[in-house]
């Protein structure tokens, strides 16, 4: 469809695609556009008036950047996610990926300005077999494909993420969550090693993230929507806690645990984790009464 406004001509094109998920639709669109640069925007979010302008002008004005992205505002948390409050524009290398990830600036495709040729020329795609994190892996593959590894980060919340829908993907039981998180951890570890990331801070952030993903799996197992019996849920979580990936993440993460909680995780027995949580909750309750 074409129309004119103030002597400028605009065009909208649409392409039918069998439902393969939101993010696979993004890639299908990228493969069928004529422009050199592209962005991905969700229909229920909001973009600031300067969103495109800032991304494109930054990319044009700074040839030292091989990639450009911006910050965002999260509606449910009522806060901005940017890299540095004291800088209008920050420059980091892809080796600083975990620093970006720590500020939630790596996964969402709508923060990034993509070069169409890099996506198409390297056959970068969204993995439709994954129900979560396909966007994270897409961005890892994209950053791996860029020749200039310097990334420009616009420290402005130019995108508004409207995430107040409690029925979203992250608020329901997912039987495949362990497989998804195992894949995500493995892919991220692979690229950190490939990019020769050696600083301790980055690896601390990686193992912290990896452990929290396993913790999400343990909680997900006990969702009321999970049809397993209570005993089956306990046995499933016991198997998770005895996996090598879980043990490595637990032993190498820098998360502050109470001693009895750490020992419960180390035991590989989820019943002990349940007991440790109840004890911690009871102690907090009693402390609250005494303090009050």
């Amino acid at each position: 469809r074409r129309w004119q406004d103030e002597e400028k001509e605009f065009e909208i094109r649409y392409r039918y695609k069998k439902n393969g998920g939101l993010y696979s639709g993004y890639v299908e669109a990228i493969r069928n556009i004529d422009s050199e640069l592209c962005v991905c925007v969700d229909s229920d979010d909001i973009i600031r008036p300067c969103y495109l302008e800032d991304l494109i002008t930054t990319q044009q004005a700074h040839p030292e950047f091989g990639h450009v992205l911006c910050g965002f505002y999260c509606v449910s948390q009522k806060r901005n996610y940017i890299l540095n409050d004291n800088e209008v524009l920050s420059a980091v290398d892809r080796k600083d990926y975990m620093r970006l990830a720590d500020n939630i600036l790596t996964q969402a495709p709508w923060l990034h300005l993509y070069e169409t040729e890099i996506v198409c020329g390297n056959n970068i795609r969204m993995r439709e077999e994954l129900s979560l994190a396909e966007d994270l892996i897409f961005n890892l593959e994209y950053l791996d494909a860029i020749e200039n590894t310097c990334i420009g980060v616009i420290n402005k919340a130019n995108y508004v993420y409207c995430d107040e829908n409690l029925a979203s993907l992250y608020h329901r039981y997912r039987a495949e969550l362990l497989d998804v998180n195992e894949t995500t951890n493995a892919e991220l570890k692979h690229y950190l090693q490939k990019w020769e990331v050696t600083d301790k801070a980055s690896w601390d952030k990686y193992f912290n993230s990896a452990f929290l993903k396993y913790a999400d799996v343990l909680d997900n197992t006990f969702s009321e929507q999970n049809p397993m019996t209570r005993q089956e849920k306990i046995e499933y979580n016991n198997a998770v806690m005895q996996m090598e990936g879980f043990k490595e993440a637990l032993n190498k993460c820098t998360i502050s645990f109470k001693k009895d909680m750490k020992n419960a995780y180390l035991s590989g027995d989820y019943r002990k984790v349940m007991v440790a949580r109840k004890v911690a909750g009871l102690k907090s309750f009693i402390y609250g009464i005494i303090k009050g």
Side-chain angles (χ1 to χ4, degrees), residues 177-178 181-183 185-186 206-221 237 240-241 243-250 265 270 277:
L177 188 61
L178 176 61
N181 285 354
E182 282 269 279
T183 298
N185 288 340
Y206 166 78
F207 286 114
N208 289 351
S209 172
F211 177 79
L212 292 175
K213 284 186 174 65
Y214 282 114
D216 286 343
V217 170
L218 300 178
D219 289 340
N220 178 70
T221 302
N237 278 359
V240 172
M241 293 169 60
M243 295 175 68
E244 290 304 315
F246 177 90
K247 292 178 182 178
E248 180 183 43
L250 175 62
Y265 280 125
Y270 192 71
R277 285 183 171 180

Side-chain angles (χ1 to χ4, degrees), residues 223-239:
S223 166
E224 293 180 358
Q225 301 169 31
N226 185 351
M228 290 182 182
T229 66
R230 185 176 186 277
Q231 181 59 33
E232 288 172 337
K233 292 176 180 179
I234 290 173
E235 290 175 358
Y236 182 89
N237 278 359
N238 286 347

Side-chain angles (χ1 to χ4, degrees), residues 252-263:
K252 294 185 178 181
C253 74
T254 58
I255 296 172
S256 179
F257 295 99
K258 292 185 180 299
K259 185 177 180 180
D260 54 348
M261 182 62 72
K262 181 71 175 285
N263 288 337

Side-chain angles (χ1 to χ4, degrees), residues 94 97-98 127 136-137 140-141 144-145 182-197 203 206-207 248:
R94 73 179 175 197
Y97 180 92
M98 293 309 302
R127 298 189 185 181
L136 183 148
I137 295 175
L140 283 170
E141 292 181 354
D144 187 59
E182 282 269 279
T183 298
T184 302
N185 288 340
E187 288 286 339
L188 180 51
K189 187 176 185 180
H190 163 73
Y191 283 110
L192 293 180
Q193 291 173 334
K194 183 177 181 180
W195 299 339
E196 299 180 344
V197 175
W203 283 104
Y206 166 78
F207 286 114
E248 180 183 43

Side-chain angles (χ1 to χ4, degrees), residues 28-271:
E28 180 73 11
I30 292 172
R31 296 184 188 283
N32 288 277
I33 60 176
D34 299 326
S35 61
E36 296 179 2
L37 303 172
C38 59
V39 295
C40 302
V41 176
D42 286 0
S43 61
D44 53 352
D45 291 338
I46 300 169
I47 58 174
R48 309 282 194 195
C50 55
Y51 170 72
L52 281 174
E53 180 181 4
D54 282 353
L55 285 171
I56 294 173
T57 56
T58 299
Q59 192 262 2
Q60 293 174 339
H62 294 273
E64 70 271 23
F65 295 152
H67 185 54
V68 175
L69 59 90
C70 69
F72 71 101
Y73 175 79
C74 181
V75 171
S76 67
Q77 298 180 19
K78 298 181 180 180
R79 62 162 291 187
N80 292 330
Y81 284 92
I82 58 177
L83 186 63
N84 192 331
D85 286 318
N86 300 316
E87 296 178 345
V88 175
L89 184 64
S90 299
V92 299
D93 191 83
R94 73 179 175 197
K95 287 187 176 183
D96 298 311
Y97 180 92
M98 293 309 302
R99 180 184 169 201
L100 292 171
D102 206 35
N103 289 275
I104 318 183
L105 296 175
T106 52
Q107 182 162 344
W110 23 262
L111 301 180
H112 301 257
L113 180 65
Y114 297 110
E115 292 188 34
T116 310
E117 177 56 34
I118 291 178
V119 176
C120 298
N122 293 278
N123 194 31
I124 301 172
R125 63 183 182 87
M126 296 286 181
R127 298 189 185 181
E128 296 183 27
E129 68 272 16
L130 296 178
S131 59
L132 289 171
E134 61 269 50
D135 49 349
L136 183 148
I137 295 175
F138 176 88
N139 282 328
L140 283 170
E141 292 181 354
Y142 185 89
L143 292 178
D144 187 59
I146 60 177
E147 294 183 5
N148 178 359
T149 63
C150 186
I151 301 170
V153 183
I154 302 166
N155 290 304
K156 292 170 63 178
N158 286 345
Y159 192 94
V160 180
Y161 177 41
C162 303
D163 64 331
E164 293 186 306
N165 179 11
L166 296 180
S168 67
L169 290 175
Y170 298 98
H171 296 276
R172 60 185 175 88
Y173 169 66
R174 308 196 70 85
E176 74 283 10
L177 188 61
L178 176 61
D179 290 339
V180 169
N181 285 354
E182 282 269 279
T183 298
T184 302
N185 288 340
E187 288 286 339
L188 180 51
K189 187 176 185 180
H190 163 73
Y191 283 110
L192 293 180
Q193 291 173 334
K194 183 177 181 180
W195 299 339
E196 299 180 344
V197 175
T198 57
D199 66 289
K200 183 178 184 301
S202 288
W203 283 104
D204 285 347
K205 292 180 188 299
Y206 166 78
F207 286 114
N208 289 351
S209 172
F211 177 79
L212 292 175
K213 284 186 174 65
Y214 282 114
D216 286 343
V217 170
L218 300 178
D219 289 340
N220 178 70
T221 302
F222 270 79
S223 166
E224 293 180 358
Q225 301 169 31
N226 185 351
M228 290 182 182
T229 66
R230 185 176 186 277
Q231 181 59 33
E232 288 172 337
K233 292 176 180 179
I234 290 173
E235 290 175 358
Y236 182 89
N237 278 359
N238 286 347
V240 172
M241 293 169 60
Q242 291 161 17
M243 295 175 68
E244 290 304 315
F246 177 90
K247 292 178 182 178
E248 180 183 43
L250 175 62
N251 288 321
K252 294 185 178 181
C253 74
T254 58
I255 296 172
S256 179
F257 295 99
K258 292 185 180 299
K259 185 177 180 180
D260 54 348
M261 182 62 72
K262 181 71 175 285
N263 288 337
Y265 280 125
L266 287 169
S267 73
D269 184 350
Y270 192 71
R271 291 182 184 86

